[in-house]
Amino acid sequence: MSNVVLEKVGRNFGEFAAVSEVDLRVNEGEFVTLLGPSGCGKTTTLRMVAGLEQNTAGRISIDNEVVSDAARGIFVPSERRRLGMVFQSYAIWPHMTVFENVAYPLRVRRRPAAEIRELVSKTLSLVEMEGLADRPAPALSGGQQQRVAIARALVFEPKVLLLDEPLSNLDAKLRLQMGDEFRAIQRRLGMTTLYVTHDQSEAMALSDRVVVMDRGRIQQVGAPEEIYRYPTNRTVAAFFGTPNLLDAEVEACARIDARRVRLEVVGQGWRGPCEAADEVQPGQTVTVMVRPEDARIASAGSGVSEQELKWSGRIAQTIFRGPNRSIVIETGNGLFNIDAPAFGNYSVGDNVSVIVAQQAAWAVPSQ
Ligand SMILES: Nc1ncnc2c1ncn2[C@@H]1O[C@H](COP(=O)(O)OP(=O)(O)OP(=O)(O)O)[C@@H](O)[C@H]1O
Ligand SMILES: [Mg+2]
């Protein structure tokens, strides 16, 4: 097993900086996901680790060996990096059987026939495809093709696995199932994995750590729970779902513990406590983030405690989503989105209060 280290890695295309100053360490056996909107530089970053793209700045190491250093002119070609790769268009070869597809990387490496047979059958059983070894590739479902692509990436026991949106061709249900299966395989084999997706829920479900990128730069790195709950800025906050982002001015600030402070804030027609990572001077403005699942609807005029925030408003829209109901409330501060129980007693036009606990209101610097 190996680690992957990127130090100040950048890639320019002419004048355009597709990736800038990326510092990242993927530990042995760790599953790290690059997450961000289209065009933010995820694929370019992955391709630089793969050796399919040369970094124009910084240094990349795999297994403590420098494989690319822009300043020193070092560049180890892709085929010598011992990487397994699965790309978005996972193109398995249609003219080959499942067995031959998976055997291909071993044949290229001129392994003996007996070893090929053994490794292929072992890998196929890992992805639960051993029964389909003789199937021609076109006679497979999308999910089965996906497994063949993963088996082909695993068969030569790569040091590191690189995957670029490998599940994007699948429908939602299969994507979930394959994602979970893949994560189980990755854990079992303890493979160091760098994964790319623009799907937040996929990133959260699969990863040990998530790297949120935007416009070529890393915005935040952390465990999924941490990034979701404690985004460092508005870009990261907005990228995970549809949070409510409310502008407010800070009136007071007190430290709670090493990671959080309590702020007293005042917005347009509301005031109350929220939390933030760092001290903020009174008079400064912040953006307070409230996730739709953390807000509760109460009757109009409800009182709140010292540890709660309250907005008054009117229900403008309700959308039934099965497990829950999305409710849009018009407040003096704009629209507020809430995920409420599916079968609550709400109607459009009702006057209500929106109540949020202090620890569910997270303030980030205004941008
Ligand atoms: N060969 C190239 N020449 C010029 N610009 C490029 C080249 N490859 C990528 N870019 C640009 O670099 C930026 C990052 O591209 P990249 O493919 O890394 O994005 P991405 O995060 O993978 O996006 P997506 O989610 O859409 O796949 C984009 O603006 C893209 O147009
Ligand atoms: Mg991409």
Side-chain angles (χ1 to χ4, degrees), residues 115 178 249 288 293:
E115 187 187 328
M178 280 303 300
E249 188 180 313
V288 178
E293 69 269 27

Side-chain angles (χ1 to χ4, degrees), residues 38-44 88 164-165 196 198:
S38 183
C40 74
K42 306 179 296 291
T43 295
T44 305
Q88 185 165 3
D164 191 353
E165 314 238 4
V196 163
H198 63 268

Side-chain angles (χ1 to χ4, degrees), residues 17-40:
V19 174
S20 309
E21 306 254 321
V22 166
D23 278 313
L24 177 66
R25 185 190 169 85
V26 186
N27 295 313
E28 285 192 17
E30 196 181 21
F31 194 124
V32 171
T33 298
L34 305 179
L35 173 69
S38 183
C40 74

Side-chain angles (χ1 to χ4, degrees), residues 227-240:
I227 291 191
Y228 186 79
R229 185 133 188 230
Y230 304 121
T232 51
N233 60 41
R234 195 176 169 127
T235 306
V236 177
F239 193 68
F240 284 86

Side-chain angles (χ1 to χ4, degrees), residues 243-257:
N244 302 291
L245 299 169
L246 305 127
D247 294 324
E249 188 180 313
V250 174
E251 293 195 314
C253 171
R255 184 148 285 285
I256 302 170
D257 56 29

